[in-house]
Amino acid sequence: MELAELLRQIGARHGRSPGEVAIAWTLRHPAITGAIVGFRSAKQVEEIIGAAEFRLSEGEINEIETFFNQRLQQVGV
């Protein structure tokens, strides 16, 4: 839930959904050429399309990666 909240906060800065932020974060990696995502409504399809065009700033990428690194340290990985 904490990750979802972080993605919501980042998305709110740009008028984007947490899902768009998650997809954009995944697609920003050069080794990733596509993301398989599901949808339940036309609005979600619009968000998926929007995510393909959305680019996170370096600071936002660092926010998400810092979140993951902190959680890994907490569990001892």
Side-chain angles (χ1 to χ4, degrees):
M1 296 309 290
E2 292 175 41
L3 175 59
E5 178 60 23
L6 174 61
L7 298 178
R8 187 196 64 72
Q9 290 173 10
I10 293 172
R13 297 176 202 159
H14 304 280
R16 305 284 184 154
S17 72
E20 285 177 278
V21 176
I23 295 167
W25 182 79
T26 300
L27 293 176
R28 62 91 179 95
H29 193 285
I32 304 295
T33 59
I36 298 172
V37 296
F39 60 91
R40 290 186 224 149
S41 68
K43 182 177 188 273
Q44 288 178 332
V45 172
E46 291 172 13
E47 291 176 356
I48 292 167
I49 293 168
E53 301 168 350
F54 178 51
R55 298 294 177 262
L56 295 165
S57 71
E58 286 298 317
E60 291 164 335
I61 291 168
N62 288 335
E63 280 183 77
I64 297 168
E65 290 181 358
T66 297
F67 175 88
F68 280 117
N69 289 333
Q70 289 173 345
R71 295 314 176 275
L72 289 173
Q73 287 176 355
Q74 288 175 355
V75 297
V77 174

